[in-house]
DNA sequence: GCGTCCAGGTCTACC
DNA sequence: GGTAGACCTGGACGC
């Protein structure tokens, strides 16, 4: 059955600019339908408390949010699904100070006008960390492939009695992102040989073990009253999470004071600001330093500005 | 075909 | 603390 979820959206919310904010919408269990402007994904615990969230236009400011489930969800489950939806769209992030700052310069005024800056997140922070590890040192297409195999192999299937997706996407699109316990129950050899994670396999397995056993309460990072530096240190303590990954994970926690440069950002910065010649990271850092606690977000929006003017690549 | 390079990096050993 | 080298995969490219 389909149930409408009532979510409170911030005044500066923009649906498409959130779901296309970075590559997560192209990674299962997210599914985007560009033609209809719809984002869907399976959420829940893998049992009766599972369903599919469907966000859709017509309104960019207040998109429709529906829940597809096999039976009627209890009030408690509805509340849990609404909470998941809020987390995925990061609705609790207050971007008003950011947009106020962006309006103070002609070069960044477009960001406030576009209501850009909110980033799509996984259902759990565990999902975000695993996906970030899968982006390291490989092409984007390989990230998509590894993630799809991971979801297919370990993600519980969610049946809601309605068609969620068609064609090749139907399978992974109706699976949950794997739990830490499901991955921890595997082996490094299996993750290398079957899921083909390569040298990332021991990193993902160790993370899954730590989370599944309770040794690492990674979900608390989303609400922890820790400084950005403390969170950064905690993230760097995860094997496979280096400077790039930690900084970009901080962005998904609403902390934007580090850049999180990768080769793509460096090349894009060079193209935009230095005639195509790559510059040292220190020069990129200096360029954005005036934006202080927002510099990581300003950098990301600067190098992806053409997406907003032309076409989102996902 | 086949070899090489490298892509949305990170870790470890060594200095 | 700084740096070189190893590390999986798979697509692009040159031959």
């Amino acid at each position: 059955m389909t149930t409408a979820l009532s979510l409170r959206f911030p005044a500066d919310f923009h649906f498409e600019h959130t779901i296309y904010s970075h590559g997560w919408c192209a990674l299962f269990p997210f599914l985007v339908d560009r033609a209809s402007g719809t984002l869907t994904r399976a959420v829940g615990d893998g049992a009766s408390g599972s369903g599919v969230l469907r966000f859709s236009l017509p309104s960019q400011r207040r998109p429709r949010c529906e829940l597809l489930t096999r039976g009627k969800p209890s009030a408690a489950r509805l509340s849990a699904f609404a909470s998941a939806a809020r987390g995925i769209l990061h609705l609790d992030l207050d971007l008003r100070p950011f947009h106020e700052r962006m309006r103070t310069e002609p070069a960044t005024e477009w960001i406030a006008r576009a209501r850009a800056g909110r980033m799509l997140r996984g259902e759990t922070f565990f999902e975000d960390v695993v996906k970030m590890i899968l982006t390291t040192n490989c092409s984007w297409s390989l990230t998509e492939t590894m993630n799809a195999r991971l979801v297919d192999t370990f993600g519980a299937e969610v049946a809601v009695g309605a068609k969620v997706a068609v064609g090749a996407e139907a399978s992974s699109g109706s699976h949950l992102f794997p739990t830490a316990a499901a991955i921890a129950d595997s082996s490094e050899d299996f993750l290398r040989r079957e899921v083909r994670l390569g040298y990332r396999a021991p990193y993902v397995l160790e993370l899954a073990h730590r989370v599944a056993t309770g040794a690492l309460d990674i979900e608390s990072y989303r609400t922890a009253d820790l400084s950005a530096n403390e969170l950064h240190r905690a993230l760097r303590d995860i094997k496979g999470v280096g400077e790039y990954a930690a900084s970009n994970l901080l962005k998904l926690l609403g902390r934007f004071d580090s850049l999180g440069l990768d080769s793509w950002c460096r090349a894009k910065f060079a193209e935009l600001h230095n005639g195509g010649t790559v510059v040292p990271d220190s020069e990129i850092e200096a360029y954005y330093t005036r934006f202080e606690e927002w510099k990581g977000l300003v950098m990301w929006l600067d190098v992806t500005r053409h997406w907003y003017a032309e076409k989102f690549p996902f």
Side-chain angles (χ1 to χ4, degrees):
Chain A
M1 68 176 290
T2 303
T3 310
L5 287 182
S6 179
L7 301 177
R8 187 174 301 155
F9 291 92
D12 57 8
F13 184 77
H14 192 293
F15 178 51
E16 284 188 341
H17 294 176
T18 299
I19 67 175
Y20 293 122
S21 53
H22 63 132
W24 263 208
C25 65
L27 298 178
F28 292 125
F30 283 115
L31 281 173
V32 283
D33 181 349
R34 296 185 69 91
S36 63
T38 303
L39 173 76
T40 59
R41 71 159 289 155
V43 292
D45 59 10
S48 59
S50 299
V52 171
L53 286 174
R54 182 166 63 197
F55 305 96
S56 57
L57 292 171
S59 170
Q60 298 287 9
R61 202 177 286 274
R62 293 175 53 82
R64 183 183 300 124
C65 178
E66 297 166 308
L67 172 68
L68 283 65
T69 50
R70 182 173 278 280
K72 184 179 180 183
S74 66
R77 287 308 304 167
L78 270 181
S79 174
F81 283 121
S83 177
R86 294 188 64 80
I88 287 165
L89 298 178
H90 209 172
L91 297 182
D92 295 331
L93 176 67
D94 183 5
L95 281 177
R96 286 173 298 183
F98 171 65
H99 287 147
E100 280 172 24
R101 173 68 179 86
M102 295 300 97
R103 285 191 195 94
T104 64
E105 290 193 30
T108 56
E109 189 274 335
W110 74 270
I111 294 173
R113 203 162 9 93
R115 308 199 300 276
R118 202 173 302 278
M119 304 180 95
L120 189 68
R121 311 194 300 176
E123 183 183 5
T124 63
F125 192 51
F126 172 72
E127 174 182 336
D128 287 333
V129 177
V130 171
K131 284 179 172 174
M132 199 64 76
I133 290 174
L134 299 190
T135 69
T136 58
N137 197 29
C138 64
S139 62
W140 179 250
S141 64
L142 183 56
T143 297
E144 290 179 310
T145 304
M146 289 188 287
N147 180 71
R149 280 195 291 255
L150 200 65
V151 172
D152 259 347
T153 307
F154 298 109
E157 188 160 12
V158 175
V160 294
K163 187 177 275 190
V164 174
V166 296
E169 292 186 335
S171 174
S172 305
S174 59
H175 285 68
L176 295 166
F177 190 82
T179 62
I183 297 175
D185 204 30
S186 174
S187 68
E188 181 182 330
D189 183 56
F190 184 86
L191 290 173
R192 282 182 186 271
R193 210 164 21 81
E194 300 297 325
V195 193
R196 307 187 73 77
L197 298 187
Y199 67 85
R200 302 164 196 83
Y203 302 154
V204 171
L205 187 61
E206 181 182 313
L207 171 66
H209 268 297
R210 292 175 69 190
V211 172
T213 59
L216 176 63
D217 182 12
I218 204 170
E219 298 311 315
S220 70
Y221 292 178
R222 281 192 170 176
T223 53
D225 187 23
L226 296 173
S227 70
N229 280 340
E230 289 169 320
L231 280 170
H232 189 270
R233 273 197 297 276
L235 291 170
R236 287 299 308 270
D237 191 44
I238 299 170
K239 282 272 186 65
V241 174
E243 185 54 36
Y244 148 83
S247 294
N248 283 296
L249 285 167
L250 279 175
K251 289 174 188 164
L252 299 182
L253 295 172
R255 313 297 183 95
F256 305 105
D257 20 21
S258 51
L259 297 187
L261 296 170
D262 55 28
S263 55
W264 187 84
C265 290
R266 292 183 182 98
K268 203 68 199 174
F269 180 89
E271 177 189 326
L272 292 172
H273 301 293
N274 202 41
T277 304
V278 174
V279 300
D281 287 0
S282 56
E283 283 191 33
I284 304 178
E285 186 79 30
Y287 184 88
Y288 294 106
T289 194
R290 69 183 186 280
F291 297 107
E292 300 174 308
E293 74 267 32
W294 302 111
K295 64 187 176 190
L297 187 53
V298 176
M299 183 281 297
W300 178 247
L301 290 167
D302 190 32
V303 299
T304 59
R305 181 175 182 174
H306 59 293
W307 294 357
Y308 296 79
E310 300 159 14
K311 182 176 180 292
F312 290 99
F314 307 108

